[in-house]
Amino acid sequence: MPSQFNNMPEIIETNQLFCFEGSEKKMEIDFRPIGGGDPETIDVNGGLRQYNREFWSDVVAILNGTILLADPQEKFDAYLISESSLFVYNDRVIILTCGTTLLLKTLPAIMKAGADVGLEVCWFQYSRKNFLFPEQQSFPHTSFDQEVHFLQEHFPTGRPFIMGPLSSDHWYLFVADFIRRETPDGSRKIVDRDQMLNIYMYGIDPQVAQYFMKADPLIIPSIFEDFSGDSNVEKEQTKELGNQSEFCATGDEASDRSGISALLEHDGKVIHSHLFEPCGYSMNGQAADGSAYWTIHITPEAHCSYASFETNFSCDSYHHLIARVLEVFRPAKFTTVEHVDADSRIGISGPVCPASLDGYDLAGRTFNEFGTKDYVVQMCNYMSKTASYVPPPPPLLRAPPLHKSDSGEWSK
């Protein structure tokens, strides 16, 4: 995640905390040949993969982002962007963006791109966690009602859902489903084989957060902020941090030293990673011989620390993987969302149920079935048994910027 610290002396002088919205907005748009054709007839390198990096750069620019890194895999093209990630398969686009990006504004361009290569939308999903700083968002993301109104102009039959308690952690979902699941004789076609895991983590362990900051003495205190007002506590924490020298210089180093590189063990590897200046981290990975992706994005500053993990890797259960992710980040609280199609490996293996995780209590579970049990979504909230989550303070408006003179002095 790119850092919000664009003018460090200004922050130091005004003692303001500029809060970054780490939680991502996400769209998945699945296509089929126009007229209701079978997506499996699309060539693995055809369909949407016919578009090059320059085209997708123009799409990402619509949401106010840029492409940083790009790598083709066996079945998809992976793009690391300045505000998270983009994955392009022959028959679908998956894009997630953080901060104040205008993700939904890219929808018309992506739909047109599909139509221009003979494809139509067969399934659409937009989702996100509740924002920490909703007042920072712009149209069409100032509220879920506004997002729904925008989306129903494109998908009038789409349906909105809210999973989880509105008074705490909840998850918004909008789905438009045009998949034909019945054959002419009335039997059910096997078309729903996908599964997806999202983990949204808040209050990550400061000892972990330091891996995702460059060793700039001006920002060392930002991951060990003490909200009690005791400056001595912060000084001791900063001193301890400096002595440990756990900062990393590159994304690859942060991936290895934090344990991210080994998260999927022998089933996957990191494609590319990026350590932002002066702090923040993003990576894309591939699994299952290039057919599945996994991605992580991190905002390490203590007053708004956040990390996310997402994958469409196919396995019989995500519980072991969830536990491995928690071992890396050790968050104070987190939310999991599992999207499970009926004919996926998890869908076949048994009922979707909450993970039992050492050191965490299940605070709530919401479960929803779609269609005639064509797919289900489970959303769970967890709280640490030992670490307390401290909500971020309200974001402050930016003061007039400081300017650096030729002599090196800063002034308004």
Side-chain angles (χ1 to χ4, degrees):
M1 299 291 185
S3 171
Q4 68 273 27
F5 293 136
N6 296 320
N7 196 328
M8 192 60 59
E10 173 189 339
I11 293 172
I12 293 172
E13 181 172 301
T14 60
N15 195 31
Q16 292 184 348
L17 295 176
F18 298 111
C19 299
F20 185 79
E21 186 68 65
S23 181
E24 297 88 1
K25 313 172 185 83
K26 177 190 172 182
M27 280 197 311
E28 178 175 340
I29 314 169
D30 294 3
F31 293 83
R32 66 189 175 201
I34 290 175
D38 187 347
E40 293 189 3
T41 63
I42 305 171
D43 183 81
V44 68
N45 294 311
L48 297 161
R49 296 187 75 185
Q50 297 176 68
Y51 293 104
N52 60 17
R53 175 173 176 163
E54 182 179 0
F55 172 82
W56 294 112
S57 291
D58 291 340
V59 172
V60 171
I62 296 171
L63 60 84
N64 295 330
T66 57
I67 291 177
L68 303 176
L69 299 166
D71 283 289
Q73 301 301 304
E74 181 67 25
K75 293 188 177 181
F76 65 91
D77 299 323
Y79 297 89
L80 197 68
I81 63 179
S82 53
E83 283 77 17
S84 297
S85 294
L86 164 68
F87 302 98
V88 180
Y89 287 75
N90 60 347
D91 66 340
R92 70 192 60 190
V93 172
I94 300 159
I95 181 168
L96 46 155
T97 64
C98 60
T100 57
T101 49
L102 308 176
L103 176 60
L104 291 182
K105 287 193 172 184
T106 66
L107 178 57
I110 297 174
M111 292 177 66
K112 182 179 185 303
D116 288 347
V117 293
L119 303 177
E120 63 184 8
V121 177
C122 63
W123 191 81
F124 173 85
Q125 174 184 295
Y126 171 74
S127 60
R128 66 171 174 86
K129 270 286 271 91
N130 54 296
F131 292 132
L132 290 176
F133 315 109
E135 66 281 350
Q136 295 181 344
Q137 301 296 319
S138 299
F139 176 86
H141 295 289
T142 59
S143 69
F144 187 54
D145 286 343
Q146 187 180 79
E147 292 167 329
V148 169
H149 179 75
F150 181 94
L151 288 169
Q152 287 183 330
E153 292 180 352
H154 298 278
F155 305 113
T157 60
R159 297 186 298 161
F161 300 85
I162 302 175
M163 301 185 70
L166 286 175
S167 58
S168 58
D169 290 292
H170 52 279
W171 189 68
Y172 296 106
L173 172 67
F174 180 95
V175 175
D177 190 342
F178 311 103
I179 296 175
R180 299 165 186 170
R181 295 181 172 85
E182 289 188 356
T183 63
D185 64 4
S187 60
R188 180 179 175 275
K189 291 191 294 186
I190 298 177
V191 295
D192 300 298
R193 299 187 181 94
D194 295 330
Q195 58 187 62
M196 182 84 62
L197 169 67
N198 293 89
I199 310 176
Y200 308 96
M201 295 167 279
Y202 300 85
I204 61 177
D205 191 319
Q207 298 296 334
V208 176
Q210 63 187 306
Y211 290 118
F212 311 107
M213 305 185 78
K214 293 191 174 180
D216 186 335
L218 289 174
I219 62 170
I220 288 176
S222 70
I223 63 169
F224 282 105
E225 285 288 351
D226 176 62
F227 298 113
S228 67
D230 187 348
S231 60
N232 291 325
V233 172
E234 183 177 321
K235 288 178 182 178
E236 287 302 314
Q237 291 171 329
T238 301
K239 181 179 178 181
E240 178 184 356
L241 174 62
N243 290 338
Q244 290 174 346
S245 300
E246 295 293 354
F247 298 104
C248 297
T250 67
D252 289 343
E253 183 184 358
S255 299
D256 292 339
R257 295 179 65 185
S258 64
I260 286 174
S261 295
L263 271 176
L264 264 69
E265 301 172 293
H266 59 279
D267 292 315
K269 64 179 182 179
V270 174
I271 299 172
H272 45 222
S273 58
H274 185 78
L275 194 61
F276 290 91
E277 179 71 44
C279 60
Y281 169 92
S282 291
M283 64 76 65
N284 289 330
Q286 64 91 1
D289 299 320
S291 63
Y293 71 85
W294 54 295
T295 185
I296 292 173
H297 304 279
I298 301 168
T299 299
E301 299 93 325
H303 60 278
C304 57
S305 72
Y306 169 83
S308 67
F309 176 93
E310 175 174 318
T311 187
N312 63 348
F313 176 63
S314 183
C315 58
D316 293 335
S317 171
Y318 281 133
H319 292 187
H320 176 65
L321 180 55
I322 293 170
R324 289 181 62 85
V325 172
L326 297 180
E327 288 175 3
V328 170
F329 294 103
R330 303 191 290 274
K333 71 171 185 174
F334 67 95
T335 296
T336 62
V337 176
E338 294 182 62
H339 179 126
V340 177
D341 283 359
D343 299 306
S344 67
R345 286 181 60 180
I346 292 179
I348 294 171
S349 298
V352 178
C353 58
S356 178
L357 300 162
D358 291 342
Y360 291 91
D361 289 322
L362 177 65
R365 175 187 185 240
T366 306
F367 183 86
N368 199 57
E369 294 179 342
F370 292 80
T372 56
K373 299 184 179 180
D374 301 312
Y375 52 96
V376 301
V377 175
Q378 174 184 259
M379 181 262 199
C380 296
N381 289 326
Y382 293 85
M383 299 293 294
S384 171
K385 294 180 179 179
T386 56
S388 298
Y389 174 70
V390 179
L396 301 177
L397 297 176
R398 182 178 291 275
L402 301 182
H403 301 281
K404 192 175 183 179
S405 67
D406 294 337
S407 63
E409 296 295 323
W410 291 89
S411 61
K412 293 183 180 179

